[in-house]
Amino acid sequence: MIYADNAATTKTCPAAQRAMLDAMERSWANPSSLHSPGQQAKEALQTARETVARAIGAQPREVYFTSGGSEADNQAIISAAKLGARKGKKHLVTTAIEHHAVLHTMDQLSKEGFEVTLLPVDASGIVKAEDVAAAIREDTALVSVMFANNEIGTIQPVAEIGALCREKGVVFHTDAVQAAGHLPIDVDAQNIDMLSLSGHKFHGPRGVGALYVRRGAPLLTLIHGGAQERGLRAGTEDLPAILGMAAALDDSCTHMAENAAYVSKLRDALIDKLSAIPHAALNGDRERRLPGNVSFCFEGIEGESLLLLLDDKGVAASSGSACTSGSLDPSHVLLAIGRPHEVAHGSLRLTLDHENTMEEVDAIAAATIEVVDYLREMSPVWKALQRGERDYVIQ
Ligand SMILES: *Cc1c(COP(=O)(O)O)cnc(C)c1O
């Protein structure tokens, strides 16, 4: 099987596996216990916090461990909103292409009386910094713009947005779940106040993540019950997961430049090969995208069938977000870049990493070309397009 769904999750790397096993064997005590095994676990926890902090240019005391990216997003947004509201600020700014962990949190807050501005993106899937600037008001409590998109891979102008939020005194949060370990992050240089990351998107374990909160930025407790994480996130720490995540992040950051160079070559080769399919369009900007992201829409076919047939041919792919697959609604991200419903349904996301090879890229391309042809031959929509009874949306 060729695994090309690294945006959904990644395989735990050997460094993470070793760290986790080691933690289970040696640092399994409760870091809150006063005895020496507890103190040893506490030290290991602190070392992991330092590692995660270093990876994003933060101070260890600004890093809070969570159960993953979703919790980090929830805590960041709910904190900034509710603490903003105490000062009369009840306006939130985000984009139409965020992950549902952000969008659904925003929906919930809007039900609770907050006003949410959803910024559009351009056809290449990038939000304009000037749109963010124009949306900020006196009563804006938070701007939340993702670092890189999980479906179409586009990299957002985070440093520019950070700078203008800083200038206007608005808290800036970024969902960096797809970026951490893959793109350089420096919370100071990029003026980021809050940042979410998740272990399983950079070859660490699942169910663990981190929230960075700049000193002095707003933070509220979502999980009550103990003094862990400076009293802001209760629950006995999952030390094997936290140490595994730290090891994976350290490993990813060490090899970031070489991996990005290698994986983006695979990506570009795959994009070139799939671009040869008639009436196919790349989703998202060709250059400003994650090293491993390839996302296409094919006219006249249906994404689900494409995935199942690719699976039969030994290629594990996705139609977009793992969270929306299974639902009949087309991806909100593809709609936001202007793809009409019928075309958004014919999407394919292939996300590569450093374990993929050029031979696999050739095999993925050959399988995709074959399956798209096969499905089109059976598709009444495709036949109508070919007979000229309908107009192609993708030329
Ligand atoms: C995967 C993902 C999340 C959710 O992270 P979990 O750790 O799975 O909860 C949030 N945002 C983005 C952009 C993601 O890709």
Side-chain angles (χ1 to χ4, degrees):
M1 198 75 193
I2 301 175
Y3 187 72
D5 198 14
N6 285 283
T9 198
T10 55
K11 187 173 122 190
T12 46
C13 63
Q17 290 177 17
R18 274 196 304 274
M20 292 176 81
L21 263 181
D22 191 59
M24 286 186 264
E25 280 167 6
R26 299 202 298 147
S27 312
W28 47 266
N30 190 326
S32 299
S33 298
L34 290 178
H35 46 62
S36 8
Q39 291 309 296
Q40 194 253 323
K42 188 177 174 180
E43 269 168 40
L45 179 65
Q46 178 59 15
T47 306
R49 203 182 302 284
E50 286 163 11
T51 304
V52 172
R54 193 175 340 110
I56 59 172
Q59 299 300 317
R61 51 183 287 140
E62 298 171 315
V63 172
Y64 300 84
F65 292 118
T66 67
S67 67
S70 299
E71 186 190 325
D73 283 342
N74 272 260
Q75 191 170 7
I77 294 165
I78 292 169
S79 295
K82 298 208 163 159
L83 289 169
R86 290 186 195 166
K87 296 187 225 153
K89 297 184 175 187
K90 297 196 76 175
H91 177 233
L92 311 167
V93 176
T94 190
T95 80
I97 62 164
E98 298 297 313
H99 189 274
H100 283 139
V102 169
L103 288 180
H104 290 177
T105 305
M106 293 282 181
D107 285 349
Q108 180 57 35
L109 288 166
S110 83
K111 284 184 196 135
E112 294 173 20
F114 287 86
E115 193 187 329
V116 179
T117 299
L118 264 194
L119 296 173
V121 291
D122 62 17
S124 69
I126 292 172
V127 63
K128 288 195 184 65
E130 59 257 40
D131 287 352
V132 178
I136 294 175
R137 318 188 305 213
E138 282 294 303
D139 64 340
T140 304
L142 171 73
V143 168
S144 180
V145 177
M146 70 200 320
F147 208 113
N149 184 265
N150 47 303
E151 293 188 39
I152 59 173
T154 47
I155 300 168
Q156 305 303 322
V158 163
E160 234 179 296
I161 295 168
L164 67 92
C165 287
R166 177 61 45 87
E167 193 189 305
K168 298 191 183 226
V170 178
V171 177
F172 175 46
H173 166 255
T174 186
D175 174 341
V177 172
Q178 290 289 333
H182 301 279
L183 300 173
I185 297 178
D186 184 326
V187 291
D188 284 340
Q190 293 161 334
N191 282 307
I192 296 163
D193 296 314
M194 306 175 110
L195 176 146
S196 310
L197 57 83
S198 170
H200 74 106
K201 303 294 175 72
F202 47 77
H203 301 277
R206 217 156 302 166
V208 63
L211 174 61
Y212 156 77
V213 183
R214 180 176 296 284
R215 247 189 101 181
L219 193 60
L220 287 178
T221 305
L222 297 191
I223 315 244
H224 303 271
Q228 294 90 353
E229 302 303 297
R230 299 161 54 80
L232 287 157
R233 200 280 182 184
T236 307
E237 301 87 347
D238 186 347
L239 211 49
I242 290 169
L243 301 191
M245 172 171 73
L249 187 56
D250 196 37
D251 193 55
S252 299
C253 289
T254 306
H255 301 287
M256 186 185 291
E258 60 186 285
N259 282 347
Y262 171 73
V263 177
S264 49
K265 275 208 189 93
L266 300 183
R267 173 199 67 193
D268 292 343
L270 187 52
I271 290 175
D272 286 342
K273 285 172 189 288
L274 296 183
S275 300
I277 297 176
H279 307 286
L282 178 70
N283 297 314
D285 192 82
R286 170 96 207 215
E287 261 91 49
R288 286 171 64 184
R289 67 192 302 128
L290 287 165
N293 180 287
V294 176
S295 169
F296 270 85
C297 280
F298 303 108
E299 188 138 14
I301 63 162
E302 211 271 303
E304 299 268 292
S305 334
L306 178 58
L307 292 189
L308 296 176
L309 291 173
L310 280 176
D311 188 51
D312 272 351
K313 290 194 171 294
V315 178
S318 155
S319 59
S321 160
C323 320
T324 34
S325 51
S327 95
L328 287 175
D329 295 335
S331 142
H332 65 286
V333 176
L334 297 177
L335 296 179
I337 61 169
R339 301 280 184 233
H341 278 242
E342 66 274 24
V343 169
H345 274 299
S347 64
L348 175 67
R349 180 185 73 181
L350 297 155
T351 41
L352 307 170
D353 82 341
H354 61 275
E355 288 197 6
N356 292 112
T357 63
M358 202 53 98
E359 288 70 41
E360 289 181 337
V361 162
D362 292 343
I364 295 170
T368 307
I369 290 167
E370 198 179 317
V371 171
V372 168
D373 261 358
Y374 173 78
L375 287 172
R376 280 178 171 172
E377 268 168 39
M378 299 191 307
S379 156
V381 173
W382 181 252
K383 285 182 188 144
L385 287 162
Q386 295 249 290
R387 284 196 298 263
E389 294 161 13
R390 289 171 71 130
D391 293 330
Y392 291 104
V393 177
I394 302 171
Q395 293 314 312

